[in-house]
Amino acid sequence: MSVNGEDSGPNSRSRAVDEVVELVSRLIRFDTSNTGDPATTKGERECAQWVADQLHQVGYTTEYVESGAPGRGNVFARLKGADPNRGALLMHGHLDVVPAEASEWSVHPFSGAVRDGYVWGRGAVDMKDMVGMMLAVARQFAVEGTVPPRDIVFAFLADEEHGGKWGSHWLVDNRPDLFNGITEAVGEVGGFSLTVPRRDGGERRFYLVETAEKGLGWMRLRAKARAGHGSFLHEDNAVTILADAVARLGKHTFPLVLSDSVAEFLAAVSEETGFPFDPESPDIEGQLAKLGTIARIIGATLRDTANPTMLQAGYKVNVIPQTAEAVVDCRVLPGRQAAFEREIDELIGPDVEREWITKLDSYETTFDGHLVDAMNDAILAHDPNGRTVPYMLSAGTDAKAFARLGIRCFGFAPLRLPPDLDFSALFHGVDERVPADALQFGTRVLEHFLLHS
């Protein structure tokens, strides 16, 4: 790589490629488990300070910010670009991970073990892989004096795994100055490969670029009735009222809605494979099953979902409680929020109250423009058999916070994966791991992308 914008070839080595596996392994060894409870969440401070040290070593000036709660560490660093008049690009990754039960794993989840061609541990794919790639490329650019086309802001963030209240959303609300001049952002859950059979007998690797994500809403349901003795007859039992509402909600199928991002993805798959995808078919799920394990993610982007996840009622077996509560995980398609809430109200009925614990909007952008072209060019430079396609994430990311500032957001953490790897199952799963050569491939792609972004 050189400062005049020429990146390394597809098989060449670079400082970033050489160190990315160790960086990811070291990041995993920081236990940054986010339980959602401030009393038990470890916080990101130690990991964030280590990231800052890695950047200081190569000359960056960093800003460390605790986002509204002790230990919720965030690190920002800006690399100046050639054209100060262009909007800056935000590269963001979160440092927290979901908890892991060590007894269920083949390796300790915070060992960062490197074996059998993989880096193992909690966060390997969500998302310390991308954090490591960002850090490796940022360090290389500084050491070699690389000047990208425009300013790049590298952000390493807290609390994404619990909706970003003490991370990205706090920063947007309280430190919007950190995002001055930023017009586009790139984060997680995109850029990974999906291998599909071609109609001519060959194979095509799709690289899925996240252009949309469903809204995220955690909703509390509450039923109230008269308390009393467990031996009496009770026509209005709060537990029964709530249980009926939860059962109706859990069994309900919301209408199929084909968003632009999903339609473009299915059209591209159909073009390459010859598989028909008919949204009007009663067996659309069966058609999607031909895609393999990725069908779980794509299927969840065809409809809203409302999954009951928690129930709470009572304090003694022979006492009818006055109140019963449930929590529901809701994921809502773009443009569907009002209709979704009307449908929810009809399902739960007038005797159950509802309130939002967390409510974050959906997001969708178009699959076009210079940044998308740069992603596609970077993939093709290192995988001529690749093709970038848009898709919608059924979950949510920190992009929801940055979109509130008018920043255009994408998910692009490039990984070339083995065709038989059940990648979607690794997110929050047992034995989470990422191929070491996928990290090296992704680092090369990220170098190329940032040099042409």
Side-chain angles (χ1 to χ4, degrees), residues 332-355:
V332 185
L333 292 166
R336 274 277 304 169
Q337 188 64 41
F340 173 82
E341 294 191 28
R342 287 195 299 270
E343 207 161 336
I344 290 287
D345 289 338
E346 291 176 4
L347 287 165
I348 64 176
D351 296 326
V352 177
E353 305 168 359
R354 66 171 176 87
E355 64 175 336

Side-chain angles (χ1 to χ4, degrees), residues 41 71 87 181 183 190 201 260 265 336-337 371 392 395:
T41 293
T183 56
D260 290 345
F265 170 81
R336 274 277 304 169
Q337 188 64 41
L371 202 66
M392 179 186 293

Side-chain angles (χ1 to χ4, degrees), residues 15-29:
R15 175 194 175 104
V17 170
D18 286 341
E19 72 174 6
V20 67
V21 170
E22 175 54 32
L23 287 174
V24 173
S25 174
R26 182 68 186 91
L27 285 161
I28 290 170
R29 295 200 292 272

Side-chain angles (χ1 to χ4, degrees), residues 87-98:
L89 174 65
L90 175 67
M91 298 295 298
H92 61 95
H94 64 85
L95 301 176
D96 63 321
V97 298
V98 296

